[in-house]
Amino acid sequence: EYDAAATRLRALGRGRDDASLMLLDRWRFEAASALGRNDEAIAGLRDVAERSATLRGDEHPETIGARHSLASALARAGDEALA
């Protein structure tokens, strides 16, 4: 139901850097990683982590969480060096 929630938030005028949309994106790409869609997951989580760092800063818990999700996706994909 990601698409429905994202559509509702966008209808409220919330943009790409909205905190709720970033969290939905993070969850979506975590699910993609769990399903083995590694390229999609890594690209998406990298984008979410960068957007979060820009919006909230490097030390914000959501930024740290997004980076952790990215590291997990990289490790799951077999790229332990980058994880």
Side-chain angles (χ1 to χ4, degrees), residues 5-18:
T7 299
R8 283 193 298 275
L9 288 170
R10 286 188 184 99
L12 294 172
R14 297 189 180 178
R16 171 177 152 79
D17 290 332
D18 177 77

Side-chain angles (χ1 to χ4, degrees), residues 25-37 41 45 76:
D25 282 344
R26 180 175 156 199
W27 290 341
R28 184 177 112 201
F29 295 122
E30 286 173 349
S33 178
L35 293 170
R37 299 189 330 240
L45 288 167
R76 193 174 285 124

